[in-house]
Amino acid sequence: MRSDHWYSGDDRNAYIHRAWMRRGAPSDAFAGRPQIAIANTASDLTPCNAHLTEVAAAVRDGVHTAGGVALELPVVSLGETQVRPTAMLWRNMAAMATEEMLRANPIDGVVLLGGCDKTIPALLMAAASVDLPAVVVPGGPMLTGTFRGRPLGCGTDVWRLSEEVRAGTLSDEQFTGSESAMIRSRGHCNTMGTASTMAIVAEALGTVVPGVAGTPAADSRLLEAAHGTGRLAVDMVAADRRPSTFLTRASFHNAIVALAAVGGSTNAVVHLLAIAGRLGVDLTLDDVDRIGSRVPLLVDLQPAGRFLMEDLHRAGGLRAVLREVRDLLDPTASTVTGTPLVETLDDADIWDTEVIRRRAEPIVAEGGIAVLRGSLAPDGAVVKPAAASPHLMRHKGRAVVFDSIEDFHARIDDPDLDVDADSVLVLRGCGPKGYPGMPEVANMPLPRKLLEQGVRDMVRVCDGRMSGTAYGTVVLHVAPEAAAGGPLGLVRTGDVISIDVEARRIDVELSADELARRTPSEATVAGFADPRRGWERLYVDHVLQADTGADLDFLVGSSGSEVARDSH
Ligand code: FES
């Protein structure tokens, strides 16, 4: 085993490695027993993951039961609601730090504990690059809270309640009182936001024990699953079941099918591309569209639908969903257990067809995420048709352009802003380099004066991302972004923008000559980030565009687990 390089033998180096780790451990702890790290994103500042310390204890028991040695490894943790300027700025840093610490230490395999949005993507990117046997335990969603008799969807219902305050139907005191009702228990957001989506995508990829993703954080079955996963990690070391041995193009195919069937977050596209890049799997934006757009949307969850994650679990969970679309899955994709994903679905069933629809009665016959290209997004942009308004799927309108999120906030509610319901709102300077970190601002709030006229959706175009808890006709992840020289930086207020989702087009109606003549204005360039030092500088200099996963260029690929040199 890998850890033997630290512990075996009777020389001075092995003595030092063993002695400093002994601290009550039995003498056989370092004699051929798999050393299993528990990469733990528990943190008081990541409230969605704070309970993972208890989950880690269950994993630890499982590892010991199977004859391994469990070693907790606290790793960089990202609390979506707390971390500024945006948690996405730190995803690659968390992945890099985790990868390096797994490689640097005497570790044979790892159990990855994540939950809040960026944590599972970062852990999977790390595991792919260090290529040690690795399995994820998703921390699980929180239980459904209720307020004034109605269930509360995390994130999504914050917007509804704040609108009620603006409308005068809810007092400020009542609004504040809903806070503790919304966050009823341990766990991550309970809508089909990014955290729930990434737990499901991780299981569909084959990196979670089938049937575990979506188990509520407060459900004791999560601890049972954590115990079982600890045991499995020991078996995975014995079988040398590393990410490179089972995470294939077929695994990503199945993840995209799952993403479409549950109506998952657009953020998953960026994360899947980044994970694939670490593995050397040739996955493109077009694969996401081609595979996902044939898949029916079967799950009726907020933000676009009615129910919450606790309901999905009760109704049969991901396995029940995947069984309905089994013929669309790639049967060759395996899992952490060594069993192909499709072979784990036989006994799955739907227990509530309101929450999980049968294949014959889908919510939308063809779901997925559409990829648009054209003169405004030569390298692609994404839109989620199921979250968009049907009457805007083919649309032409005058651009109203904002150079930064600050510019947007300063002017959007100006009564003199020249905007109408047919306008296309454009927000730039929000891509990976421009902000930096690609914040979730693409779902711009509509101008107040149009809201008062009853307008509820407009076409919006942005090089940033959108919260998984949001919806609307929003074209996002425009690549190249404005700060990387993309044509989005050349559009002026008054230019005509057309989108046609069926034809997969997004264009600015300008000649190629006119576009080539233009340069970004001073105000546009002033909206781009130019950090002086530190991680932000490194990030801006090396981050790739959204269409390839927004990883850093020097982190793409794998280095394996070998340590090149040893100073001892
Ligand atoms: Fe952590 Fe939503 S804030 S999952």
Side-chain angles (χ1 to χ4, degrees):
M1 282 186 307
R2 181 175 185 268
S3 56
D4 290 341
H5 295 297
W6 276 259
Y7 295 130
S8 72
D10 48 16
D11 63 7
R12 191 193 57 190
N13 288 343
Y15 173 100
I16 291 170
H17 292 310
R18 285 193 303 264
W20 264 257
M21 285 295 285
R22 188 158 292 239
R23 298 169 199 264
S27 57
D28 69 350
F30 312 106
R33 291 172 62 180
Q35 309 287 309
I36 307 294
I38 304 171
N40 192 355
T41 54
S43 163
D44 287 340
L45 283 165
T46 306
C48 304
N49 295 16
H51 66 292
L52 290 178
T53 301
E54 191 180 345
V55 176
V59 172
R60 183 182 285 270
D61 285 348
V63 170
H64 286 151
T65 304
V69 175
L71 302 147
E72 200 164 329
L73 177 69
V75 295
V76 175
S77 187
L78 304 172
E80 192 69 24
T81 54
Q82 313 303 107
V83 169
R84 292 182 176 179
T86 171
M88 185 64 173
L89 174 62
W90 314 108
R91 181 200 65 176
N92 300 339
M93 186 180 82
M96 185 169 76
T98 304
E99 173 193 342
E100 298 295 355
M101 286 304 101
L102 288 172
R103 183 177 298 111
N105 279 293
I107 297 300
D108 298 304
V110 57
V111 179
L112 308 164
L113 305 187
C116 199
D117 293 16
K118 306 299 177 291
T119 53
I120 287 179
L123 292 170
L124 282 176
M125 290 162 72
S129 286
V130 74
D131 200 29
L132 286 167
V135 52
V136 177
V137 180
M142 56 183 99
L143 300 174
T144 303
T146 60
F147 180 63
R148 300 173 123 197
R150 283 184 63 175
L152 285 173
C154 302
T156 308
D157 273 324
V158 176
W159 313 122
R160 179 178 64 78
L161 293 172
S162 62
E163 287 306 305
E164 281 195 37
V165 173
R166 285 173 74 186
T169 55
L170 192 73
S171 71
D172 287 336
E173 293 73 30
Q174 288 168 326
F175 180 58
T176 308
S178 71
E179 280 176 11
S180 50
M182 181 162 291
I183 309 303
R184 179 182 164 210
S185 77
R186 54 177 59 190
H188 61 66
C189 291
N190 59 9
T191 57
M192 189 54 77
T194 305
S196 301
T197 300
M198 288 313 301
I200 278 169
V201 160
E203 181 168 316
L205 272 174
T207 61
V208 177
V209 174
V212 172
T215 304
D219 192 316
S220 55
R221 286 170 290 188
L222 180 68
L223 298 180
E224 187 181 333
H227 182 99
T229 302
R231 292 183 182 215
L232 174 66
V234 175
D235 294 344
M236 288 177 73
V237 171
D240 195 27
R241 199 173 299 131
R242 292 171 286 115
S244 63
T245 66
F246 70 92
L247 274 176
T248 62
R249 200 177 155 75
S251 318
F252 286 87
H253 176 105
N254 290 348
I256 294 167
V257 171
L259 175 65
V262 304
S265 161
T266 47
N267 283 321
V269 175
V270 186
H271 298 320
L272 277 171
L273 291 166
I275 298 163
R278 297 300 185 98
L279 290 155
V281 170
D282 179 25
L283 186 77
T284 67
L285 262 186
D286 294 328
D287 292 324
V288 175
D289 190 331
R290 181 179 52 77
I291 298 165
S293 57
R294 295 183 301 138
V295 178
L297 171 61
L298 299 178
V299 172
D300 191 0
L301 246 65
Q302 290 190 32
R306 293 178 290 165
F307 297 99
L308 294 163
M309 284 299 287
E310 195 181 339
D311 302 306
L312 177 60
H313 186 65
R314 172 179 54 78
L318 175 63
R319 289 169 68 246
V321 179
L322 291 182
R323 193 177 176 197
E324 288 296 297
V325 292
R326 187 178 189 149
D327 57 305
L328 301 177
L329 295 171
D330 190 322
T332 66
S334 194
T335 66
V336 281
T337 63
T339 305
L341 183 71
V342 292
E343 290 180 23
T344 67
L345 306 176
D346 290 343
D347 60 344
D349 211 344
I350 299 174
W351 305 112
D352 185 340
T353 53
E354 288 286 302
V355 181
I356 304 174
R357 301 282 188 88
R358 296 277 178 206
R359 177 76 168 269
E361 296 174 342
I363 298 162
V364 176
E366 295 186 339
I369 290 168
V371 175
L372 313 184
R373 291 178 197 275
S375 59
L376 198 55
D379 293 339
V382 304
V383 63
K384 192 171 168 184
S389 300
H391 73 282
L392 294 173
M393 303 279 271
R394 191 166 177 208
H395 181 81
K396 189 179 283 195
R398 286 173 56 251
V400 178
V401 180
F402 302 93
D403 278 319
S404 65
I405 190 64
E406 292 80 10
D407 181 32
F408 173 83
H409 287 310
R411 295 195 291 127
I412 190 63
D413 286 337
D414 183 342
D416 295 328
L417 185 69
D418 186 11
V419 63
D420 61 33
D422 290 331
S423 300
V424 174
L425 302 180
V426 174
L427 174 58
R428 60 191 170 204
C430 299
K433 286 180 187 294
Y435 187 73
M438 210 182 168
E440 293 181 334
V441 295
N443 53 311
M444 295 159 249
L446 304 189
R448 189 190 303 266
K449 67 180 180 185
L450 296 184
L451 282 172
E452 288 167 358
Q453 292 167 21
V455 177
R456 289 294 174 264
D457 196 9
M458 294 171 70
V459 175
R460 287 157 275 178
V461 181
C462 183
D463 46 11
R465 294 176 302 118
M466 172 170 91
S467 164
T469 61
Y471 57 95
T473 311
V474 185
V475 180
L476 55 162
H477 306 183
V478 171
E481 62 172 304
L488 195 69
L490 306 175
V491 177
R492 296 174 187 161
T493 291
D495 290 341
V496 174
I497 291 176
S498 61
I499 74 162
D500 184 339
V501 175
E502 198 181 326
R504 302 296 197 255
R505 295 289 307 180
I506 181 160
D507 293 282
V508 55
E509 299 201 344
L510 296 172
S511 68
D513 284 350
E514 171 61 17
L515 265 179
R517 260 195 303 274
R518 289 190 181 181
T519 53
S521 72
E522 273 183 32
T524 302
V525 174
F528 302 156
D530 186 19
R532 192 174 61 81
R533 63 174 297 279
W535 173 258
E536 290 192 29
R537 186 69 255 167
L538 189 70
Y539 184 92
V540 168
D541 288 345
H542 292 279
V543 71
L544 299 170
Q545 292 294 285
D547 63 301
T548 54
D551 203 353
L552 301 191
D553 52 12
F554 60 83
L555 290 175
V556 173
S558 164
S559 303
S561 64
E562 202 168 315
V563 182
R565 302 178 80 173
D566 181 1
S567 63
H568 287 97

